[in-house]
């Protein structure tokens, strides 16, 4: 197996590899952290996913020529089911003056005639960032293996005071009733995050609007922006160009290591976007994921009428560990994304196709967990599992008081780790745990009484996840918008050797962790439910499944 080196530069992707060799899995004795059903190209990070004539396409960044950073190109993999993947040859690579120093991130748009088109950032001969177009060479090729660059490239250049080094990641374009396409580009003005808005009738000739679609002077540079409609009334995803009354628009921007989003009303006539709560404006700060998750992108799946989110999940071990492993980074499991019924936030859930991988199942119902107890869930492969659990609480009035507006939930989680006894909670799952619990990753909830309502804190505690040194064991935390006096507290976790993706409150709060146990590997991994509060809690239902390995390999 050949090695590749990963260099994460402070941009929204930039990992490098040297071909597909590393995608071939090696024995788990040597590769205890390699995942079985999460997409791992040799190289990672997202460009633009799309669905076209029965096939899902995933594009990602790679260096075809070497183990160092350079020649950044678009890797290309395809799937019929979002679970099993085939790696194809590179779709786009540096070849022209306008992209000779790299083909960076971008997005796919399905044009009016149904044909796909890629807008991507090229790093030109002057090391400036410009936007380019590529289209499939042969639309009869079902895999769309070859892409050709437009003779009109570059289509957009950093004119009029735009910083040529901070001008990248064009979004999927949307079409107005005026038959004009719109797309946004991540940038900064006076150091502040900005989504520059462009218009085009032809898709070749783009002009920048007088005003950006949105900006925030409370953030820095925006990378990998995403802009799409969500429905207030139906539980479907919407195609990117859909406008209408029962629709709100989500703007996502990647900055400060996280993917933040705002929700607002977009008027396609005026191109004005009015947000409900702005980035960094109040206590209402929403992230797609409160763990490791960046540079994500959504696409519309017209076959199943859903919008699907992919995020890039980096490693939490050291770069020398990555060189030894021969790989670094992976994709979150694709998630369908909808507006919550509250209208205030989004909800995410692993796409249903993940259920194809479920095999052996165990169930548990109405099991009381007394304060301080641990209950093993045996009978599933705990290193490769899908777990759904829900809890019912009594004695809520005993909950401790907090001023939720005055605390940072992540800080609260690191002060109140799973190893600290509470009143109502911490309770939840111990995943990738060794038999003796020396190693364990706790995904847990604690209930606090606030001024007006109960506050449900969700934590992912990595502090005891590995006996290994030199691994980032930061604790993650966020509140979940559920009312424990009316609703059960639910948790779903996708466990896959070195990644734990958790969905609290039916997907209202998501947290992805990377963990590298030394003991709790493969068959030595165990799964437990636990309660470390003084009050007992009841597991109303638990279902856990062993998961099969997905087929992810070169053609
Ligand atoms: C980029 O590709 C060219 C060949 O096209 C190769 O000569 C060069 O070494 C590559 N650079 C890097 C940094 O991989
Ligand atoms: C286009 O793709 C189809 C299907 O793979 C193939 O039969 C045809 O020969 C291709 N055309 C060209 C010009 O490559
Ligand atoms: C490009 O679009 C602008 C604005 O619509 C128009 O003024 C200009 O003539 C167009 N250029 C070309 C080459 O079509
Ligand atoms: C942010 O920008 C707005 C509009 O330009 C301006 O009114 C406001 O003073 C700025 N705030 C800060 C904190 O810079
Ligand atoms: C529960 O709390 C005790 C006391 O802090 C601690 O020793 C124990 O490890 C905790 N249990 C779990 C499962 O974390």
């Amino acid at each position: 197996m050949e090695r590749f080196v990963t260099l994460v530069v402070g941009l929204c992707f930039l990992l490098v590899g040297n071909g597909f060799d590393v995608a071939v899995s090696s024995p788990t004795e040597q590769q205890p952290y390699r995942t079985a059903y999460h997409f791992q190209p040799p190289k990672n990070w997202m460009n633009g996913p799309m669905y076209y004539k029965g096939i899902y396409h995933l594009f990602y960044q790679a260096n075809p020529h070497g183990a160092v950073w350079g020649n950044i190109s678009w890797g290309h993999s395809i799937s019929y089911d979002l679970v099993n993947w085939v790696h194809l040859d590179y779709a786009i690579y540096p070849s022209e003056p306008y992209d000779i120093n790299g083909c960076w991130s971008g997005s796919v748009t399905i044009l009016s005639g149904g044909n796909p088109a890629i807008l991507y950032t090229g790093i030109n001969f002057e090391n400036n960032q410009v936007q380019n177009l590529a289209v499939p060479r042969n639309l009869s090729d079902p895999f769309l293996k070859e892409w050709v660059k437009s003779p009109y490239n570059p289509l957009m250049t950093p004119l009029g005071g735009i910083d040529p080094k901070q001008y990248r990641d064009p979004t999927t374009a949307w079409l107005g009733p005026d038959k004009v396409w719109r797309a946004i580009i991540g940038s900064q003005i006076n150091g502040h995050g900005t989504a520059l808005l462009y218009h085009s009738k032809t898709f070749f000739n783009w002009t920048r609007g007088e005003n950006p679609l949105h900006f925030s002077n409370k953030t820095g540079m925006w990378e990998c922006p995403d802009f799409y409609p969500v429905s207030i009334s139906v539980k479907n995803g919407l195609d990117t160009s859909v406008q209408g009354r029962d629709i709100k628009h989500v703007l996502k921007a990647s900055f400060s290591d996280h993917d933040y989003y705002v929700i607002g009303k977009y008027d396609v006539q005026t191109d004005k976007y009015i947000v409900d709560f702005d980035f960094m404006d109040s206590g209402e700060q929403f992230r797609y994921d409160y763990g490791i998750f960046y540079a994500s992108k959504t696409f519309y799946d017209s076959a199943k009428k859903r919008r699907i989110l992919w995020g890039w999940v980096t490693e939490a071990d050291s770069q020398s560990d990555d060189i030894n492993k021969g790989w670094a980074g992976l994709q979150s499991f694709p998630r369908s994304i909808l507006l919550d019924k509250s209208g205030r936030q989004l909800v995410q859930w692993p796409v249903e196709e993940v259920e194809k991988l479920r095999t052996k199942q165990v169930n548990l119902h109405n099991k009381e967990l007394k304060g301080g107890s641990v209950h093993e869930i045996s009978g599933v492969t705990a290193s490769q599992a899908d777990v759904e659990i829900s809890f019912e609480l009594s004695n809520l009035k005993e909950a401790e008081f907090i001023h939720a507006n005055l605390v940072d939930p992540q800080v609260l989680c690191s002060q109140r780790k799973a190893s600290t006894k509470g009143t109502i909670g911490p309770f939840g799952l111990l995943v990738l745990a060794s038999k003796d619990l020396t190693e364990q990753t706790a995904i847990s909830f604690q209930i606090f009484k606030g001024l007006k309502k109960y506050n449900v804190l969700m934590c992912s505690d990595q502090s005891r996840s590995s006996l290994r040194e030199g691994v980032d064991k930061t604790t993650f935390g966020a509140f979940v918008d559920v009312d424990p006096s009316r609703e059960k507290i639910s948790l779903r976790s996708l466990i896959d050797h070195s990644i734990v993706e958790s969905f609290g409150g039916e997907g209202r709060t998501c947290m992805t962790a990377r963990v590298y146990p030394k003991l709790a590997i493969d068959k030595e991994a165990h799964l437990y439910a636990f309660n470390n509060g003084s009050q007992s809690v009841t597991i109303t239902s638990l279902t856990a499944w062993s998961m099969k390995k997905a087929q992810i390999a070169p053609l």
Side-chain angles (χ1 to χ4, degrees), residues 273-302:
Y273 180 56
I274 312 286
V275 299
D276 298 347
F277 301 95
D278 212 341
F279 289 111
M280 303 307 173
D281 243 12
S282 66
E284 302 272 352
Q285 269 315 310
F286 291 114
R287 296 187 205 163
Y288 279 159
D289 192 296
Y290 294 84
I292 303 178
F293 190 96
Y294 193 69
S296 66
K297 192 142 274 187
T298 64
F299 73 103
Y300 178 65
D301 173 3
S302 57

Side-chain angles (χ1 to χ4, degrees), residues 372-374 418-421 430 437 440 442 464 530 532:
S373 67
V374 173
S419 57
T420 311
K421 282 191 187 310
L430 301 178
L437 294 176
Q440 49 163 285
R464 294 185 285 183
F530 82 103
N532 229 359

Side-chain angles (χ1 to χ4, degrees), residues 12 348 382 475 529:
C12 81
Q348 300 163 50
T475 296

